[in-house]
């Protein structure tokens, strides 16, 4: 069982990373990794998001052609997570065993092909079957990227890089909105525009998968685009060989017994409820609030993505500099709750632009909380195997929000209508505001458990381990360097 030691005084752990004695070489290494790897993993996540959430952009014509009701559309959106969630841990274990490069290569090629097959569906059953398979192929993309970052970047460097790749949310919103506007506004002989959208967004992933295999780093000794000095420095910074290590399943009971594991799962669950609801329903909400066609609504939704992207950049930059993940996460959760409250007020009192601004604020807070929660979890971990396992458990359980979020709006929209016959989503807005408040409260509890206490996990054989999630501030207060020594890395 876990025990708690006396509270330690707070310590400021902000500032620059610990010196290595070779700042110019380290800057060169980071620049090389950033320019070669971050755009590539961002592209992987971008296409995954496009293929996952493009149902929302074509909700109206797809529902008309396939004869879907509001609740059936919500089912088709959410059923993706019925396979996505249970497949995540097994795929993550494969990533830990074989490395990020081969796993990402296979997954990206497969989800591109499966997404393109959506263009050929003709009824609900076929759409559900394709979405189920798509869930399996996308299950390991996010955990594999998080694991890749943990193997190449130090804890204080991960938040900013994760924020960079989380810009895929922003780019996906912009590209998805523009593509949907262009295709839905035009007429293509012989094929519905929404079917073309699935082909255009699915097939490029196949080519990207080939690039992942050729460009993403694998074994350190096989990398030709690093100098010998950079390879030596990379080996001293993080455990590159973890890509090829054996996964120790004995760590699973420790992970499941840690109360912080479940608090992080709850925090991620609240966050994904909001992000996936926004992914699937933002064009529809803009359409209903402002009275535009769905094509124009996709275009008008683009500024929401751009504003959330600016917020994402600023928040992750601040989080890396201050190392106060808990305060940033609490602020984002509060912003999301406030944003959904504005949407409710705008919908209730017929103030569409109040609701529109509320969507901007809610999206900004919810999306930024994804990398914040993920990096907060891994801040106190140095064992790459445990990083993979903690992340997989949190993301698997937390992504249940991908099922409940869209279902909340689907259930309310199909059961309540306004005087003009359009769906009445006001109760759903209120529920989302409460979920944002729940994320704030959970972050507040995690603030206490991860910054005011040191949790010591005890294995069944009596060994103790302080390598626990979210404890970066506490570890620093014990004068433990954020950059681990070569000797400590060799034991990972």
């Amino acid at each position: 069982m876990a025990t708690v030691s006396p509270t330690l005084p707070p310590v400021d752990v902000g500032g620059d990373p610990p010196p290595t004695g070779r700042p110019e070489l380290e800057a060169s290494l980071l620049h090389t990794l950033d320019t070669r790897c971050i755009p590539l993993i961002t592209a992987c996540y971008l296409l995954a998001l496009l293929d996952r959430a493009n149902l929302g952009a074509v909700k109206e014509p797809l529902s008309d052609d396939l004869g879907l009701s509001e609740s059936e559309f919500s089912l088709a959106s959410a059923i993706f997570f019925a396979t996505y969630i249970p497949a995540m841990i097994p795929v993550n274990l494969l990533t830990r065993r074989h490395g990020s490069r081969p796993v990402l290569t296979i997954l990206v090629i497969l989800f591109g092909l499966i997404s393109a097959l959506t263009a050929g569906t003709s009824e609900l059953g076929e759409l559900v079957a394709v979405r189920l398979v798509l869930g399996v192929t996308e299950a390991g993309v996010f955990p594999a990227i998080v694991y890749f970052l943990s193997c190449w970047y130090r804890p204080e460097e991960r938040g900013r890089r994760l924020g960079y790749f989380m810009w895929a949310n922003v780019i996906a919103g912009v590209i998805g909105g523009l593509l949907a506007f262009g295709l839905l506004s035009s007429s293509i002989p012989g094929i519905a525009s929404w079917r073309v959208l699935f082909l255009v967004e699915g097939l490029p992933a196949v080519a990207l998968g080939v690039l992942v295999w050729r460009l993403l780093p694998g074994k350190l000794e096989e990398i030709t685009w690093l100098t010998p000095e950079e390879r030596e420095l990379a080996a001293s910074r993080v455990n590159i060989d973890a890509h090829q290590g054996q996964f120790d399943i004995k760590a699973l009971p420790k992970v499941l017994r840690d109360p912080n594991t479940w608090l992080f799962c709850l925090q991620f669950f609240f966050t994904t409820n909001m992000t996936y609801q926004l992914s699937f329903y933002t064009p529809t909400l803009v359409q209903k609030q402002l009275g535009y066609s769905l094509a124009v609504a996709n275009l008008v939704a683009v500024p929401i993505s751009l504003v959330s992207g600016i917020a994402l950049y600023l928040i992750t930059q601040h989080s890396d500099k201050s190392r106060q993940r808990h305060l940033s996460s609490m602020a984002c959760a509060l912003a999301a709750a406030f944003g959904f409250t504005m949407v409710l007020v705008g919908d209730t009192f017929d103030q569409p632009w109040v609701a529109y601004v509320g969507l901007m604020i809610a999206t900004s807070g919810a999306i930024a909380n994804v990398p914040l929660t993920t990096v907060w979890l891994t801040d106190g971990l140095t064992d790459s195997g445990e990083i993979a396992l903690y992340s997989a458990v949190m993301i698997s359980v937390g992504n249940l929000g991908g099922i409940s979020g869209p279902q909340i709006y689907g259930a309310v929209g199909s059961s309540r209508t306004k005087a003009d016959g359009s769906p009445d989503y006001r109760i759903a807005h209120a529920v989302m505001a409460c979920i944002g408040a729940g994320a704030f409260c959970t972050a507040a509890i995690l603030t206490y458990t991860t910054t005011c206490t040191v949790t010591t996990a005890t294995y069944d054989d009596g060994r103790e381990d302080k390598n626990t999630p979210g404890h970066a501030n506490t570890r620093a207060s014990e004068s433990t360097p954020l950059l681990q020594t070569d000797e400590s890395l060799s034991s990972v």
Side-chain angles (χ1 to χ4, degrees), residues 165-245:
F165 113 80
M166 285 301 295
W167 259 78
N169 280 285
V170 178
I171 302 171
V174 173
I175 293 178
L178 294 176
L179 277 176
F181 170 72
L183 290 174
L184 295 178
S185 299
S186 60
S187 177
I188 302 175
I191 185 171
S193 297
W194 67 267
R195 298 184 188 274
V196 178
L197 182 68
F198 283 103
L199 293 174
V200 169
E201 294 182 353
L203 293 179
V206 179
L208 179 62
V210 177
L211 289 178
V212 168
W213 178 254
R214 293 182 61 87
L215 300 179
L216 203 67
K219 292 183 178 180
L220 185 59
E221 63 271 15
E222 296 177 354
I223 299 175
T224 59
W225 41 268
L226 291 178
T227 66
E229 293 80 8
E230 288 174 334
R231 285 199 295 270
E232 179 185 356
L233 177 60
S236 68
R237 282 165 41 87
V238 287
N239 184 22
I240 303 300
D241 290 336
H243 279 289
Q244 305 302 323

Side-chain angles (χ1 to χ4, degrees), residues 319-383:
S319 172
D320 265 1
K321 290 180 179 179
S322 68
R323 297 296 302 281
Q324 303 297 311
R325 316 288 190 196
H326 54 297
L327 297 180
S328 298
S329 182
M330 291 169 66
C332 287
L334 196 60
F338 179 73
F340 278 111
T341 302
M342 286 185 64
V343 176
L344 173 61
V345 170
D347 200 355
T348 302
F349 296 100
D350 195 24
Q351 298 294 323
W353 289 105
V354 172
Y356 183 81
V357 173
L359 279 174
M360 278 188 175
I361 296 174
T363 304
S364 299
I367 288 180
N369 225 354
V370 174
L372 286 174
T373 304
T374 305
V375 177
W376 187 6
L377 170 77
T378 62
D379 263 350
L381 301 172
T382 55
D383 186 304

